[in-house]
Amino acid sequence: LLLLWPAVLAGQGALPTIIGLPIPMLPPAVDATGFRIVFGSAVAPDGTTFAATDLYLATADGAAVRRLTRFASDIQPPTGATSVSLAADGSHAAFAALTPGRIGASGEVHLLDLATGADRTVAVDAGGCIQPLCANCFFPCVDTPHVSPDGSKVLYSVRRQQPFYIVNADGAGLTHLPVFNGELAAGPQRVISRNGLIVFTSSAPSGPTFAATATDVYSMKVDGTSLQQVTKLGSDPSVFASAATISADGGAVAFQCNRDPSSGQPTQTSQIWVVRSDGSGLRALTSGSDSSTNPSISADGSLVAFARSGQIYVVHSDGTGLQAVTNFKMSAAQDPVISDDGSTVACSIGPQSGGRGAIYAVRGDGTNLRPAYAPRALNPRGVTGLIGFSAPSPGSLIAAYGLNLGADTLAAASRFPLPGSLGGVSLLANGSIVPLVSVTPWQINAQLPPETPSGPAAFQLRFDDGAQPVPSAADVQAISPAIFSSLPGTTCQAAVLHGGTAVLVDQDHPAGAGETVEIYGTGLGPTNPFVPAGMPAPASPPARSFTPDVLIGSRRADVTFAGLTPGLAGVYQVNAVVPSGLRSGAQTVIWRNGDISSDGCATLWVK
């Protein structure tokens, strides 16, 4: 079992997942020097989480952090800042925000003076937009605010036709720009040059058209005049450019596009391209099967930063000097933004499965990678059973999900008893130390002590430097059956072995009717004899537990043993006889205790 499921038992090869209530964090924006970084976060430096997303100012060396806004956090999210940009001189930040009473119907555009803290609402949009057709889905209608280089204007977009508006810094002169449809790059990226040129992408900038066309890069002046098509990517509507960003001198544009550099055909991946603002010199900077995204260009257009495969890269705009400037192992980097002189790149990092949890800065040559903002916290409701969304259960394996829980490595227990601290962090349940199996920056795997009472419990981190972020609450259930299986999105192959072997009951090794198989999981509650937390289960006598109902396919299986797996901690084993009458092929396997059942994403194969 240890060889078959290292991802479950020690975290090796597993992609940490943000489970619980997510903690929003916005991509970083930088000033011209790259030293001042503004971003949004719903978690404070001490790990306190809020419903609202506020803006923070940090320095690239992480030496100073200042909270810039204080949105009301006593209402349900989403609320607060949703996107932010920063003036080149670092004096002002423009941001889009949702405030109580306007959620879902409108949004606001603000200009914040970083020196004085003065916050001016320069525009309010009440037009609304079409929201996604799914439960609990939401995105803001007002998006991508951008400060002009001289700080005199704010450009922003809304999620509907004729999307672009520009307004003066004092809130006067709101102008609806004459673009039928289009998209601006993310707020932190430069879309307005010093000579007043705006870049965006569009498939129909001048109005509806029945002619098939790609989504191209366009430019115009800040007053909406002098519309120019910068790229001509063809007539295939499945070719699209996006995330266009312009150099400060107005000479070069970087963007991402799904057009294959060799064939010109659309692909499933995107690459980074550059072009001069007059339309000449179109060049792909990247190629290959991995997508390259989120370009950011230096002031003179000579350097481009972008994200690919969870790392940040920098390349010269002539295609030379491609270099990875990050090398994360357990995390993924995204949202790069490069300083004007190319000396610094800021980015966000988070779990490889998605999300943001910290802001980092690195020199343009790849040296001096350091956190600018990396609060340590547990996600609200972020402690669960190890498998899926099962509840934590006494004596069983659990997972605690959060932010910056350890270094960018896997720290795994190597012997029994399981340690109370790994990688400089401990986990407490109701004040008692929880034995740890593994620690990554985003997830802790542990064994909940069997004496933990069922009911509400407080889980808290404790770091070796003395920091103790605020606790996270979770409900502990006496029995919470869950079967180990492969990661969601695959075949859901269950951790089921042929009895007495180390052979998986899979498509190549199906089980027959009447055969006894071993099913592994967690959450079956108290055992006899009692096994202390962090200690391996005995073989003689074995530690027996509650016996669940076992369903293979739609048929009930006879159970010959249920209890802890000898030699392991917190891992339960149920031996069951494969019933007859099943159709050959994949069959679901379920543990059930009354109305509580294990997740259906666990399958074995039968003959």
Side-chain angles (χ1 to χ4, degrees):
L1 182 63
L2 281 169
L3 296 177
L4 291 171
W5 266 270
V8 170
L9 297 182
Q12 298 180 42
L15 296 178
T17 302
I18 291 183
I19 293 184
L21 295 177
I23 303 175
M25 186 170 286
L26 303 181
V30 301
D31 66 3
T33 68
F35 187 68
R36 306 183 90 193
I37 304 174
V38 172
F39 56 93
S41 177
V43 57
D46 65 357
T48 303
T49 58
F50 302 98
T53 300
D54 277 297
L55 294 185
Y56 289 81
L57 171 66
T59 55
D61 58 7
V65 176
R66 178 161 60 96
R67 186 175 176 181
L68 300 174
T69 63
R70 293 188 179 273
F71 285 99
S73 59
D74 56 350
I75 61 173
Q76 291 297 312
T79 187
T82 59
S83 181
V84 64
S85 66
L86 184 61
D89 63 3
S91 62
H92 291 80
F95 65 97
L98 294 169
T99 55
R102 296 193 174 104
I103 292 176
S106 66
E108 299 176 349
V109 180
H110 292 241
L111 190 63
L112 179 66
D113 187 318
L114 270 61
T116 66
D119 182 356
R120 181 190 299 274
T121 301
V122 297
V124 176
D125 184 89
C129 58
I130 298 173
Q131 294 294 320
L133 299 176
C134 55
N136 299 319
C137 291
F138 176 80
F139 54 60
C141 297
V142 178
D143 203 9
T144 57
H146 296 270
V147 188
S148 64
D150 62 4
S152 65
K153 296 181 182 295
V154 178
L155 169 71
Y156 66 95
S157 65
V158 296
R159 296 180 187 266
R160 55 179 182 266
Q161 290 179 351
Q162 297 179 310
F164 300 154
Y165 292 80
I166 196 163
V167 63
N168 295 332
D170 62 1
L174 179 66
T175 302
H176 198 174
L177 297 179
V179 174
F180 178 71
N181 75 26
E183 179 184 88
L184 297 174
Q189 305 302 345
R190 187 191 307 103
V191 302
I192 311 174
S193 67
R194 286 193 293 259
N195 59 352
L197 204 60
I198 296 173
V199 292
F200 62 97
T201 56
S202 177
S203 59
S206 301
T209 176
F210 295 102
T213 182
T215 298
D216 275 291
V217 177
Y218 289 82
S219 68
M220 64 181 173
K221 293 183 178 179
V222 292
D223 61 2
T225 63
S226 301
L227 178 69
Q228 178 183 352
Q229 185 174 352
V230 179
T231 63
K232 295 178 174 62
L233 299 176
S235 59
D236 190 334
S238 57
V239 172
F240 54 88
S242 61
T245 176
I246 192 168
S247 59
D249 64 13
V253 177
F255 62 98
Q256 65 186 58
C257 182
N258 70 331
R259 183 183 186 218
D260 181 78
S262 300
S263 68
Q265 299 300 308
T267 67
Q268 297 299 311
T269 60
S270 61
Q271 304 301 333
I272 304 301
W273 296 69
V274 292
V275 63
R276 296 189 184 97
S277 56
D278 63 4
S280 63
L282 180 66
R283 175 187 295 112
L285 299 182
T286 64
S287 62
S289 59
D290 294 331
S291 283
S292 300
T293 61
N294 300 117
S296 179
I297 194 167
S298 63
D300 63 0
S302 64
L303 289 173
V304 176
F306 62 93
R308 183 172 69 188
S309 302
Q311 307 297 340
I312 304 301
Y313 288 78
V314 171
V315 63
H316 291 285
S317 56
D318 63 2
T320 63
L322 178 66
Q323 177 185 7
V325 296
T326 65
N327 186 29
F328 290 106
K329 306 298 184 184
M330 303 300 297
S331 308
Q334 57 190 317
D335 311 313
V337 57
I338 196 168
S339 63
D340 277 8
D341 63 2
S343 64
T344 301
V345 180
C347 66
S348 65
I349 72 164
Q352 294 173 352
S353 57
R356 303 179 183 95
I359 305 297
Y360 270 66
V362 62
R363 288 178 180 159
D365 61 4
T367 61
N368 198 25
L369 177 68
R370 66 277 190 193
Y373 188 72
R376 297 176 290 190
L378 287 176
N379 291 349
R381 305 179 194 170
V383 179
T384 71
L386 186 61
I387 310 303
F389 294 92
S390 61
S393 177
S396 296
L397 297 178
I398 63 171
Y401 300 92
L403 309 179
N404 308 296
L405 307 178
D408 187 55
T409 59
L410 169 69
S414 59
R415 61 179 63 88
F416 293 109
L418 297 177
S421 177
L422 270 176
V425 64
S426 301
L427 180 67
L428 289 77
N430 295 330
S432 298
I433 288 291
V434 176
L436 303 183
V437 176
S438 62
V439 173
T440 73
W442 317 107
Q443 178 177 340
I444 294 173
N445 292 346
Q447 184 193 14
L448 188 61
E451 61 269 23
T452 305
S454 58
F459 291 87
Q460 188 171 30
L461 302 171
R462 186 171 70 192
F463 292 90
D464 285 356
D465 62 7
Q468 287 190 249
V470 295
S472 179
D475 288 327
V476 175
Q477 292 185 2
I479 296 174
S480 182
I483 298 172
F484 294 149
S485 66
S486 54
L487 294 172
T490 61
T491 60
C492 293
Q493 172 67 55
V496 182
L497 305 180
H498 292 274
T501 74
V503 179
L504 189 65
V505 182
D506 59 10
Q507 188 172 8
D508 295 329
H509 310 91
E515 179 183 348
T516 298
V517 295
E518 301 167 358
I519 309 166
Y520 294 91
T522 190
L524 297 185
T527 63
N528 183 21
F530 175 87
V531 180
M535 297 300 295
S540 181
R544 294 182 177 271
S545 70
F546 157 81
T547 300
D549 294 328
V550 176
L551 297 178
I552 299 178
S554 59
R555 298 178 179 272
R556 186 168 179 170
D558 291 334
V559 176
T560 60
F561 171 78
L564 290 172
T565 303
L568 298 179
V571 178
Y572 289 79
Q573 172 181 338
V574 175
N575 298 345
V577 179
V578 177
S580 60
L582 293 174
R583 174 181 51 84
S584 61
Q587 298 287 345
T588 60
V589 55
I590 292 174
W591 289 348
R592 188 171 64 189
N593 172 34
D595 295 334
I596 303 175
S597 297
S598 58
D599 190 283
C601 185
T603 61
L604 55 76
W605 292 75
V606 298
K607 298 177 182 178

